[in-house]
Amino acid sequence: MPSQTVIESDGTIKSFTDWVKADGSTDFQPENGRYHLYGQHLCPFSHRAAMGRVLKGLEDVISMDNMDYELNRGEGWKFSPDKEGCDADSVNGYKYLKEAYTASAKKLGASGFSGTVVVPTLYDKKLQRVVSNESADILRMFNEEFNEFCVNKELDLFPEALRPEIEEVEKWTHMTIGLGVYGPGRAENQEEYDSAIEKLFTGLDKAEAILSKNRYLVGKQLTEADVRLFVVLIRFDVVYYFLKCCKRRIADYPALWAYTRDIYQTGNIKSTVVFDQIMKGYFMSYYMRAINPNKIVPVLPELNYDEEPNRENM
Ligand SMILES: N[C@@H](CCC(=O)N[C@@H](CS)C(=O)NCC(=O)O)C(=O)O
């Protein structure tokens, strides 16, 4: 089966875009123990994949290593088993994730990897190469392609009948909120800042209006649209608020705050939210070098994510 990953005209690979498929239409069949996830708790995109893994009950089927939370430009994601909560590379024993990317690119006949080495990365231990480094695709693979092996087969985060609506909601939540949280911090002048704030809080107000009437964003069940919004909301008051998104906290929005707690308390999701690493990751990594050169990690705000959400009967 030809790989879906493209070798660019310069001979390199910029991203891995293959798919695990239960119907046998690709080289990547779902198997117990065959795939591995490289992630980091700080990253909302990595969190999408970690949530899919836990929601579907795939912890024993898909192994996972957590990278060093401190990301440096140049060297990229590193394995630091000596740091609390961080793992060694349990598959290849590499020191840097880029080694897996380079070896995978060579395996496909490319001269190297020229894109950004990211988390999440889904790796195939059998064919010894990266399958995908796109979180939206990995979340869908976990949802659909491992039903033979997962604990929660009946959970469908992307039900056929709701797909157009889910994609529509994901589009505006991603543009206004998912990407929107980075706008105010990156603005280079007042005008840019003001318009970034306007865009972000218009998106949050819209989500608040929907979630004050509905338990979930689409239909009457948890879908991937909720997963994708949750990973942003759970970081908002502890990180993005301090990146100049400070018009309002999520805790100041009645519906968004209860919705965030509701999802946080669903199944095993809590186990995927590691505030200590989220804080260290954002405040110590190169993203914040300009505004936090001394790598000071602020105190975690006192917020009770375990407080009763009272949303079951909505
Ligand atoms: N499109 C990718 C983006 C993932 C992504 O941007 N991850 C960031 C961490 S939040 C990363 O690994 N950045 C690496 C770097 O900046 O060197 C996805 O959704 O999976």
Side-chain angles (χ1 to χ4, degrees):
M1 215 68 64
S3 167
Q4 287 201 22
T5 295
V6 174
I7 300 181
E8 307 289 328
S9 52
D10 66 358
T12 65
I13 285 174
K14 280 199 160 52
S15 67
F16 291 92
T17 51
D18 279 290
W19 281 77
V20 175
K21 279 280 177 195
D23 65 8
S25 60
T26 68
D27 287 339
F28 305 94
Q29 281 86 43
E31 273 175 49
N32 193 344
R34 175 167 167 181
Y35 298 94
H36 187 77
L37 185 64
Y38 292 112
Q40 213 308 311
H41 298 302
L42 93 89
C43 169
F45 303 104
S46 181
H47 199 180
R48 294 173 174 177
M51 278 179 75
R53 175 172 175 264
V54 157
L55 279 167
K56 291 292 286 189
L58 284 166
E59 295 96 316
D60 294 336
V61 176
I62 295 161
S63 50
M64 182 170 176
D65 288 326
N66 191 43
M67 309 300 303
D68 187 338
Y69 45 77
E70 191 178 338
L71 174 64
N72 290 305
R73 204 193 268 289
E75 64 180 13
W77 293 108
K78 191 163 83 178
F79 296 94
S80 298
D82 45 322
K83 288 193 186 172
E84 198 190 333
C86 304
D87 299 314
D89 178 5
S90 61
V91 178
N92 295 304
Y94 290 139
K95 189 148 189 261
Y96 295 97
L97 189 55
K98 70 178 169 202
E99 296 172 65
Y101 277 61
T102 306
S104 301
K106 297 246 158 88
K107 202 147 216 170
L108 281 170
S111 58
F113 181 77
S114 60
T116 308
V117 173
V118 297
V119 289
T121 295
L122 185 66
Y123 188 86
D124 179 358
K125 298 182 228 179
K126 192 165 166 180
L127 297 184
Q128 298 178 319
R129 74 163 180 95
V130 173
V131 180
S132 171
N133 60 350
E134 176 48 56
S135 63
D137 296 351
I138 297 172
L139 179 57
R140 287 198 183 157
M141 288 182 229
F142 288 0
N143 180 55
E144 278 168 53
E145 310 298 342
F146 289 88
N147 280 337
E148 197 185 330
F149 307 101
C150 72
V151 178
N152 300 320
K153 285 184 201 18
E154 65 297 335
L155 175 77
D156 187 358
L157 297 168
F158 194 47
E160 196 96 39
L162 300 178
R163 286 182 184 184
E165 203 186 331
I166 290 173
E167 288 187 325
E168 176 60 32
V169 168
E170 286 176 348
K171 206 183 287 168
W172 70 257
T173 52
H174 183 64
M175 291 315 292
T176 60
I177 306 171
L179 294 179
V181 290
Y182 299 104
R186 282 189 186 142
E188 288 179 1
N189 57 55
Q190 192 64 46
E191 219 177 358
E192 249 178 64
Y193 175 77
D194 293 344
S195 102
I197 283 287
E198 167 78 19
K199 183 171 171 186
L200 168 61
F201 284 88
T202 302
L204 286 170
D205 290 347
K206 183 169 171 181
E208 171 75 9
I210 294 171
L211 293 165
S212 57
K213 296 200 188 72
N214 305 279
R215 185 169 179 190
Y216 299 113
L217 281 170
V218 181
K220 295 195 181 325
Q221 65 189 93
L222 183 82
T223 67
E224 58 164 51
D226 299 300
V227 170
R228 291 166 55 135
L229 182 59
F230 173 78
V231 298
V232 184
L233 298 185
I234 197 73
R235 286 165 176 73
F236 198 97
D237 292 0
V238 302
V239 174
Y240 304 134
Y241 186 84
F242 302 100
L243 298 184
K244 302 198 189 111
C245 300
C246 46
K247 183 176 172 189
R248 221 175 283 130
R249 302 172 308 163
I250 296 307
D252 300 321
Y253 280 103
L256 285 177
W257 173 227
Y259 167 82
T260 304
R261 287 172 359 247
D262 190 10
I263 297 182
Y264 178 78
Q265 293 172 34
T266 298
N268 251 341
I269 286 179
K270 209 180 282 189
S271 69
T272 65
V273 181
V274 184
F275 283 117
D276 177 60
Q277 296 225 354
I278 292 175
M279 300 291 279
K280 284 183 183 151
Y282 273 95
F283 290 99
M284 295 174 76
S285 292
Y286 78 84
Y287 308 120
M288 298 258 199
R289 221 32 70 80
I291 58 168
N292 194 33
N294 294 326
K295 299 186 187 178
I296 290 165
V297 182
V299 67
L300 189 67
E302 280 184 359
L303 292 162
N304 184 8
Y305 290 93
D306 285 309
E307 193 185 310
E308 186 64 56
N310 290 321
R311 288 176 65 83
E312 288 84 353
N313 300 323
M314 289 183 85

